Amino acid sequence: MIPDKIRAREAAQEVLDEFNIKRIPVPIERIIKSKKIVLEYAPLDEELSGMAYTQDGISIIGINALHHPNRQRFSAAHELGHHVLHPAEIQATVHVSKGLRALRRDPISSLGSDPLEIDANTFASELLMPEKFLLEEIGPDGLDIDDDTSVEKLAKKFRVSVSAMKYRLGSLI
Ligand SMILES: [Zn+2]
């Protein structure tokens, strides 16, 4: 299996359309609950962002409650991505996610290059930071990706972490 970023982006776009999302921040909790997925928060190991699995036919998302709320939003969107994109894979086993961190820390590790993780991150980025809204916020003058204050401001508006915003901006270029 290889990552399919186009499919991941399209799937996120479909969710935005389905819920008629017209403004940021994207209500990720409401979306997940509307899809009849059980959303649970629990303290997990620092390195774990969340998990996705199905049990007795019930779709479940677990989020690390110890992380910053904005990071939890990305984790929730990432796990929703697994339910949307990888239903068969998470049927068989509990899928544990290390999210963006692992990708950044060691991009060539087995986890960093795991196509499931890449797809779920692409899905989450597009869902929480849709290109259309992002371009609107950035405006015609553009944005310096190395200007931490501007990136922080932007991240706050979308209610995502600064690293998630940097990851997203990187994919725009
Ligand atoms: Zn994952």
Side-chain angles (χ1 to χ4, degrees):
M1 190 187 163
I2 54 160
D4 188 345
K5 291 196 174 185
I6 292 172
R7 179 172 162 250
R9 275 200 197 109
E10 281 174 358
Q13 202 57 56
E14 277 166 24
V15 173
L16 292 167
D17 289 345
E18 183 187 342
F19 286 88
N20 202 20
I21 303 300
K22 294 264 188 269
R23 65 182 71 86
I24 51 162
V26 173
I28 185 62
E29 270 203 27
R30 181 162 70 77
I31 290 172
I32 289 171
K33 286 176 181 165
S34 303
K35 286 188 164 293
K36 304 267 180 280
I37 297 172
V38 175
L39 186 57
E40 289 175 343
Y41 295 87
L44 305 173
D45 285 352
E46 167 58 26
E47 69 192 76
L48 301 180
S49 59
M51 51 183 81
Y53 58 103
T54 51
Q55 195 173 44
D56 303 326
I58 296 168
S59 302
I60 300 165
I61 287 176
I63 299 296
N64 193 343
L66 301 178
H67 288 166
H68 186 280
N70 285 356
R71 206 173 143 196
Q72 290 181 28
R73 279 169 50 79
F74 191 89
S75 304
H78 172 111
E79 303 306 341
L80 175 63
H82 286 309
H83 279 289
V84 171
L85 300 167
H86 316 123
E89 288 87 342
I90 60 170
Q91 192 77 244
T93 174
V94 175
H95 175 84
V96 177
S97 301
K98 299 193 178 182
L100 281 176
R101 277 212 149 179
L103 288 182
R104 267 210 335 274
R105 199 186 296 148
D106 185 5
I108 54 166
S109 73
S110 60
L111 191 98
S113 59
D114 179 346
L116 294 188
E117 288 301 273
I118 293 170
D119 284 350
N121 282 332
T122 302
F123 176 92
S125 294
E126 184 67 36
L127 186 62
L128 295 182
M129 298 162 272
E131 184 167 332
K132 179 174 165 271
F133 300 131
L134 199 51
L135 293 176
E136 271 173 27
E137 291 297 330
I138 290 172
D141 295 336
L143 172 108
D144 179 1
I145 195 168
D146 294 320
D147 176 2
D148 287 345
T149 314
S150 302
V151 176
E152 262 168 48
K153 252 193 202 164
L154 202 55
K156 232 175 226 167
K157 282 188 184 169
F158 285 83
R159 288 192 60 212
V160 297
S161 70
V162 169
S163 38
M165 182 51 79
K166 284 192 170 163
Y167 175 84
R168 180 69 179 102
L169 291 170
S171 73
L172 270 186
I173 300 162

